Amino acid sequence: MKDFTYCAPTQVIFGKDTEKNIGRILKEKGAKKVLMQYGGGSIKRLGLYDTVVNAIKAEGIELYEVGGVQPNPHLKLVKECIELVRRENIDYLLAVGGGSAIDSTKATAVGVPYDGDVWDFYAGKAAPKAALPVGVILTIPAAGSEGSNSSVITNEDGLIKRGLSCDLTRPAFAIYNPELTYTLPAYQTAAGASDIMAHTMERYFTNEKDVDMTDRLCESILHTIIRNAPVAVADPTDYVARAEMMWASTVAHNDFLTAFRVGDWASHQLSHELSAQYDSTHGAALAVAFPAWMTYVYKHDVQRFCRFATEVMGVEMDHFHPEETALKGIAALRSFFKSIGMPTTLSELGVPDTELALLAKKVKKGADGTVGQFVKLTEADCLSIYNLMK
Ligand code: NZQ
Ligand code: ZN
């Protein structure tokens, strides 16, 4: 049981039509000039763009905008946004979209007051000391960036995808209207579900003992997704399923579940290489990577994998053959991902077998040359896990 500090100050504004209050909310926060970042156009098709622009302008707030933030957001656009914010003395940042728009906005927030290259933060060469405030209107439950202390950016130079974790990047507020997620394609709904599950499982597989409360909270989030993701995939306008997924997205990744524990995060690092090199959707890459990681490490703590199998995946415990129980749990997870339309092999992601050694080499490792906390993996281990994804 590990000591911890926890500070997740994001104001949550949840419910139908809440996005209509964005102008008033920004005004109350003291915003005078706002930069809004968004993605490739879904918010325009949704009608959300007009709602937000009109609500902000109605309050007399000056609005600037940068659209076209791509999934797995890139550094170049972040730098353009930093320049714009400096030039126009913008004082508040707003992300409208999912993890990509939010992460690009968070990177802008820490980049503006920094004299050096914002990539220094992602390369681990410097730590942010200040940030502009960030607000969010969430349109996809997935990355959890709306409540998390992290952001993930891809540097076009070398296609390197790296994360920055720092409490300064936690959003000041986040607005959630489940109806805004009705237009999500089934694939993005399912990828979001995989990511929420992955954030929970990264924390669930820990070496810390006596963490029963957070074990049960993790199991609850996993049950919530297993129950609601298929509903949302089958009926995109099911309000309750969309609402449950939206709140699970935040709770899975705002560190509420991290209390007393040390998360693993190797599966995320393995999946980041797939997204950086092949532009795989983050959640889809995790649906491939996580079961492969599990298969490679389950012998490290068979009992924990048995608990996952029985408490989460509904497998019956075979006390004479615990390893088989553990393996059945992993197989059940893979089947679940498949059932909601996720890929479970590298070939489905379009990743050629010939590149696996390079991927294993590029995976971000710590100073000791390993990645992961539950089991510390070397480059050779990473390669073995990529081979299990074939
Ligand atoms: O770009 P637009 O046109 O908006 O379309 C998006 C995009 O194609 C679409 N979409 C979003 N809301 C929609 C919608 N389409 C229709 N209706 C809606 N309501 O969905 C696609 C994916 O959007 P994106 O923002 O990329 O999704 P997600 O939230 O999964 O974010 C992925 C990024 O977050 C990072 C990932 O690595 C990836 O770069 N992550 C960020 C984390 C964090 N900051 O804490 C943690 C995560 O582990 C993750 O690494
Ligand atoms: Zn993730």
Side-chain angles (χ1 to χ4, degrees), residues 4 62 81 91 116 120 134 207 209 235 260 311 316 359:
F4 66 96
E62 234 178 285
C81 289
D91 56 23
D120 290 350
V134 169
N207 294 318
K209 301 295 175 212
D235 177 4
F260 304 129
E311 298 299 314
E316 203 173 317
L359 291 177

Side-chain angles (χ1 to χ4, degrees), residues 42-353:
S42 70
I43 69 160
K44 291 194 171 162
R45 291 191 295 279
L46 198 58
L48 177 59
Y49 174 87
D50 289 337
T51 305
V52 171
V53 168
N54 292 337
I56 293 176
K57 289 191 171 160
E59 295 292 341
I61 296 169
E62 234 178 285
L63 180 63
Y64 298 77
E65 62 174 87
V66 171
V69 179
Q70 65 189 86
N72 304 314
H74 277 200
L75 181 63
K76 184 167 172 284
L77 193 68
V78 169
K79 290 187 171 173
E80 287 170 23
C81 289
I82 291 171
E83 284 313 308
L84 174 64
V85 170
R86 287 181 180 152
R87 195 168 60 241
E88 302 297 340
N89 283 316
I90 288 166
D91 56 23
Y92 216 101
L93 305 181
L94 177 67
V96 186
S100 298
I102 304 170
D103 286 2
S104 183
T105 302
K106 287 177 169 184
T108 308
V110 290
V112 169
Y114 180 59
D115 280 342
D117 183 341
V118 67
W119 184 251
D120 290 350
F121 299 142
Y122 294 83
K125 290 186 190 157
K129 296 209 165 38
L132 285 184
V134 169
V136 171
I137 300 177
L138 185 66
T139 65
I140 171 172
S145 187
E146 66 278 3
S148 80
N149 70 346
S150 46
S151 68
V152 188
I153 298 294
T154 299
N155 189 337
E156 305 79 352
D157 185 7
L159 289 177
I160 304 166
K161 186 172 181 180
R162 291 289 181 265
L164 161 70
S165 291
C166 150
D167 275 337
L168 283 168
T169 65
R170 289 198 195 263
F173 69 88
I175 292 175
Y176 311 63
N177 175 359
E179 291 178 339
L180 295 176
T181 68
Y182 287 177
T183 49
L184 276 170
Y187 190 80
Q188 290 297 340
T189 299
S194 313
D195 196 15
I196 297 167
M197 290 182 76
H199 294 160
T200 311
M201 295 185 297
E202 296 281 20
R203 292 168 167 98
Y204 190 73
F205 292 100
T206 183
N207 294 318
E208 293 297 322
K209 301 295 175 212
D210 304 318
V211 288
D212 194 50
M213 189 191 90
T214 37
D215 273 348
R216 289 176 191 277
L217 289 169
C218 288
E219 287 160 1
S220 163
I221 296 289
L222 293 169
H223 278 291
T224 298
I225 297 304
I226 290 170
R227 179 176 305 170
N228 289 287
V231 176
V233 166
D235 177 4
T237 62
D238 188 303
Y239 184 88
V240 173
R242 292 298 197 185
E244 292 270 52
M245 289 185 69
M246 264 187 137
W247 189 228
S249 160
T250 303
V251 177
H253 200 39
N254 75 351
D255 288 326
F256 187 60
L257 304 180
T258 317
F260 304 129
R261 21 198 345 128
V262 177
D264 181 72
W265 298 102
S267 299
H268 262 73
Q269 296 303 340
L270 290 160
S271 77
H272 282 341
E273 291 315 314
L274 304 174
S275 298
Q277 306 298 318
Y278 300 98
D279 214 19
S280 306
T281 299
H282 175 62
L286 283 163
V288 175
F290 225 107
W293 172 83
M294 289 171 143
T295 308
Y296 192 72
V297 305
Y298 78 94
K299 287 186 180 160
H300 173 71
D301 187 347
V302 173
Q303 283 312 318
R304 177 133 289 263
F305 276 89
C306 285
R307 178 169 173 158
F308 173 79
T310 55
E311 298 299 314
V312 178
M313 301 312 303
V315 173
E316 203 173 317
M317 181 69 201
D318 180 344
H319 292 283
F320 295 105
H321 305 99
E323 289 203 11
E324 278 179 25
T325 306
L327 286 170
K328 279 185 188 166
I330 299 168
L333 177 68
R334 199 178 266 120
S335 299
F336 173 75
F337 284 146
K338 240 187 168 85
S339 75
I340 57 171
M342 282 290 94
T344 52
T345 60
L346 288 178
S347 60
E348 290 167 83
L349 288 176
V351 178
D353 291 357

